[in-house]
Amino acid sequence: MTKKFLLTITAIMLVGCVYSQPNINSKKNTNGTKSINVTELTVAQVHSSYKKGTFTSQELVATYIDRIQKFDKQINSITRINPQAMAIARALDEEYKKTKVLRPLHGIPLIVKDNIQTKGLTTAAGAIALKGFIPNADAFVIDKLVKAGAIVIAKSNMAEWAFTPYHSVSSTHGETLNPYNLAHVPAGSSGGTGASVAANFGTVGLGTDTGNSIRGPSSHCSLVGFRTTLGLISRAGIVPLYLRNDVVGPMCRTVEDATRVMEIMVGYDPKDALTKYSDGKGMKNYTQFLQKNGLKGARIGVLRELSEANPDPEIKALFEKALLDMKSMGAIIIDTVTVPDFSNLRKNQWCAEFRADIESYLSTYVKSDTLKTLEDIIRIGTKTKEVADRLNSNAKNKGRAVNPEIECLDAYTDARRVAFRKAIEDQMDKLNLDALVYPTWNNKPAEVNSYLKDYKGDNSQIIAPHTGQPAFTIPMGFSSGNLPAGIQFLGRMYAEPTLIKLVYSYEQGTKHRVPPTIKN
């Protein structure tokens, strides 16, 4: 290892430490309740405070709302604050006062992406066509989280219709910026959740991921993002992009919080047929796998075919340092892993199924005489040419771009998807690997004004959306410009327990997460 390489790593690591000063709240919230310091609060810390009587759910919610109102004007991550949040918090406080029992997510403020149905709150997917849609029921996963005690505090901005991984721009609320550097994007499409959770506007958050949209924004915003096995968690009540690829999952500041949220969401849903594949494979307790020594003896394969695809030198340095860190924590690094026929298997995996999926959603949930078809959406319009072009393309095309005769099926029955997964898992079995790793992005977050030109190195789109395998991203450090970077762990189908062990151990051994400094 050269002296130059070590100096590069040292310089990069120092960048992330400059912005670690927490924001100090005033003593009183706008509504007169006690204000608390919410910077980097975790679920466990919140529950400990409730038990000790340090603060209440109402005080926590009020503090977050004040923080959103004070700091979100420049980031533009939140689309709507839940007007019922304080009433819900009050009821939860009264419940705890009587029972002295905390539900799993009792009084935990949750930020929800704008394409996930929330009863009584607009769910627009950033689109003019759905601007007035107020669901009369929660999405399946929201129902489970609310029953576990979570408080939907706000909805977050997103890339319109979840169309792009480049940035998070909607016709309803404009563009969300990266809280670590406002000149850069938070990625898409869950950029609103990424930016708001990073900025400590809520305790935990939810995003969706068709190809990138949990892991990309999590990486760009120094968060933990879980894309779980396709079929493990229901997507019912969520505005789809491509349902054959879509997942919903946690975006949090810590692995423990992401795990706590995920384990509530897991379960069979008759309204999402894909969840039948997870029967007998899900668990009720995933927190048992939060093990600090989880990397000890683990066999980690390095997928150089992704990590060496023209990486930015700073990201490469961070990734090489991550491998050294894992080795120092007891991991056995298998460098390099080659998947047979990888370059061919990754091709022709995407299918343009937006029309079928969105029209099914409209008929099932929206039920409007004037909004039934993709043509209705096009007629109503959008504020951006990028989205208009994508809508028109989806109106004209369906299926695969190449070999359209190959049927587009789910991850369990589609021949190309199954073959891709088998090649990867066979190689993992051959080498006895626990996971494969690669940078979530090979490049830094793009600048807002050149997001198309600077969109490079997105590794999230390549494997997991097609194979159905779980892929978790976790902070890997910072590059110059105070720009976060993430490392991604790919596991076998339903190997969430293994991935939790690995990413928790890496997180605890490195502590790369640092909050952004936000000026009023």
Side-chain angles (χ1 to χ4, degrees):
M1 188 178 299
T2 66
K3 182 177 180 182
K4 182 178 180 181
F5 179 74
L6 288 169
L7 287 171
T8 302
I9 291 172
T10 303
I12 292 169
M13 298 302 292
L14 286 172
V15 169
C17 300
V18 175
Y19 293 82
S20 61
Q21 291 294 326
N23 293 296
I24 305 300
N25 294 313
S26 59
K27 293 182 179 180
K28 291 287 184 180
N29 291 311
T30 303
N31 68 353
T33 58
K34 178 178 67 179
S35 182
I36 57 179
N37 188 347
V38 297
T39 304
E40 303 295 280
L41 270 181
T42 66
V43 172
Q45 289 169 342
V46 170
H47 280 181
S48 176
S49 294
Y50 289 166
K51 290 175 181 177
K52 293 175 182 177
T54 308
F55 57 77
T56 65
S57 294
Q58 294 171 77
E59 290 165 343
L60 179 60
V61 167
T63 301
Y64 277 130
I65 290 174
D66 268 22
R67 185 169 172 81
I68 292 168
Q69 292 172 337
K70 184 176 182 180
F71 294 112
D72 194 44
K73 293 175 184 177
Q74 54 184 315
I75 301 170
N76 195 38
S77 63
I78 298 299
T79 63
R80 181 170 174 77
I81 294 171
N82 184 359
Q84 298 302 314
M86 285 298 296
I88 296 167
R90 187 178 306 114
L92 287 166
D93 284 339
E94 290 173 358
E95 176 186 313
Y96 179 62
K97 188 175 181 180
K98 292 177 182 177
T99 67
K100 298 301 179 184
V101 175
L102 292 174
R103 305 189 212 180
L105 294 176
H106 196 106
I108 299 300
L110 167 70
I111 295 171
V112 180
K113 188 177 178 179
D114 190 35
N115 61 346
I116 303 170
Q117 284 186 195
T118 43
K119 183 179 180 180
L121 285 175
T122 302
T123 299
I128 297 172
L130 291 178
K131 193 172 183 179
F133 175 49
I134 300 176
N136 57 15
D138 285 327
F140 181 83
V141 293
I142 297 298
D143 181 64
K144 287 173 74 70
L145 290 165
V146 167
K147 286 176 179 175
I151 301 169
V152 176
I153 191 172
K155 299 296 286 285
S156 60
N157 196 29
M158 59 179 284
E160 190 169 342
W161 296 115
F163 274 167
T164 175
Y166 307 147
H167 56 181
S168 290
V169 177
S170 69
S171 284
T172 54
H173 287 84
E175 181 159 20
T176 298
L177 304 178
N178 192 315
Y180 286 92
N181 187 325
L182 298 177
H184 292 258
V185 301
S189 62
S190 308
T193 299
S196 60
V197 174
N200 288 282
F201 293 161
T203 309
V204 294
L206 282 190
T208 61
D209 188 314
T210 304
N212 160 87
S213 299
I214 287 173
R215 294 158 295 150
S218 293
S219 177
H220 277 11
C221 294
S222 195
L223 296 179
V224 175
F226 285 5
R227 180 187 169 99
T228 54
T229 302
L230 267 169
L232 186 66
I233 295 173
S234 170
R235 294 84 46 82
I238 299 173
V239 182
L241 176 50
Y242 300 146
L243 197 58
R244 65 195 291 274
N245 305 102
D246 292 346
V247 301
V248 57
M251 299 172 66
C252 300
R253 292 183 292 270
T254 69
V255 173
E256 180 176 341
D257 281 359
T259 303
R260 287 174 180 266
V261 173
M262 185 200 81
E263 71 180 7
I264 298 297
M265 298 166 70
V266 170
Y268 172 71
D269 177 10
K271 292 184 178 180
D272 185 348
L274 202 67
T275 59
K276 71 179 185 292
Y277 291 105
S278 68
D279 185 35
K281 298 183 177 71
M283 297 182 179
K284 291 185 178 180
N285 179 9
Y286 285 91
T287 56
Q288 65 181 299
F289 302 107
L290 296 167
Q291 300 170 10
K292 288 187 178 181
N293 65 347
L295 277 167
K296 189 174 182 180
R299 292 175 63 84
I300 306 297
V302 184
L303 198 55
R304 292 287 181 188
E305 188 155 353
L306 297 188
S307 68
E308 292 300 313
N310 300 311
D312 180 283
E314 291 185 49
I315 304 301
K316 179 177 172 59
L318 288 174
F319 183 62
E320 299 301 332
K321 178 65 166 59
L323 297 178
L324 292 174
D325 286 340
M326 284 189 277
K327 186 176 181 180
S328 72
M329 289 179 244
I332 301 165
I333 306 299
I334 313 302
D335 191 358
T336 299
V337 173
T338 301
V339 176
D341 204 27
F342 183 86
S343 61
N344 178 57
L345 288 168
R346 64 183 281 187
K347 295 177 182 176
N348 201 27
Q349 290 284 352
W350 290 108
C351 288
E353 299 293 305
F354 180 68
R355 176 190 286 279
D357 291 339
I358 196 62
E359 290 181 355
S360 174
Y361 178 84
L362 294 175
S363 65
T364 303
Y365 297 102
V366 180
K367 300 178 182 179
S368 168
D369 290 338
T370 59
L371 184 58
K372 294 182 176 181
T373 68
L374 179 52
E375 282 70 26
D376 289 333
I377 293 172
I378 293 170
R379 170 180 51 79
I380 294 168
T382 174
K383 291 183 179 179
T384 73
K385 183 179 183 301
E386 183 179 330
V387 173
D389 289 346
R390 185 73 177 270
L391 288 169
N392 286 311
S393 175
N394 276 294
K396 296 173 185 176
N397 302 289
K398 69 175 184 176
R400 301 178 198 272
V402 180
N403 300 121
E405 72 279 3
I406 301 175
E407 195 173 2
C408 294
L409 300 172
D410 64 47
Y412 298 86
T413 58
D414 186 298
R416 285 199 63 79
R417 301 177 78 174
V418 171
F420 193 12
R421 179 172 66 249
K422 185 177 186 302
I424 293 169
E425 292 192 340
D426 282 354
Q427 193 67 0
M428 291 179 72
D429 290 345
K430 181 180 178 181
L431 299 172
N432 193 27
L433 300 179
D434 292 287
L436 291 169
V437 294
Y438 43 87
T440 304
W441 295 82
N442 282 348
N443 294 75
K444 301 177 186 180
E447 290 189 20
V448 169
N449 294 328
S450 56
Y451 68 90
L452 280 175
K453 178 176 70 69
D454 291 345
Y455 172 71
K456 301 172 184 175
D458 179 359
N459 289 323
S460 294
Q461 307 266 1
I462 297 167
I463 302 175
H466 313 298
T467 65
Q469 295 166 260
F472 295 0
T473 187
I474 182 171
M476 184 172 68
F478 289 78
S479 62
S480 58
N482 195 38
L483 297 170
I487 182 172
Q488 195 159 152
F489 290 70
L490 178 82
R492 294 175 179 80
M493 295 290 276
Y494 299 100
E496 281 78 6
T498 299
L499 291 188
I500 289 167
K501 285 182 185 179
L502 300 178
V503 297
Y504 182 71
S505 180
Y506 177 76
E507 173 196 58
Q508 295 300 302
T510 57
K511 298 286 187 179
H512 286 305
R513 162 74 195 171
V514 174
T517 294
I518 307 171
K519 297 179 181 178
N520 188 12

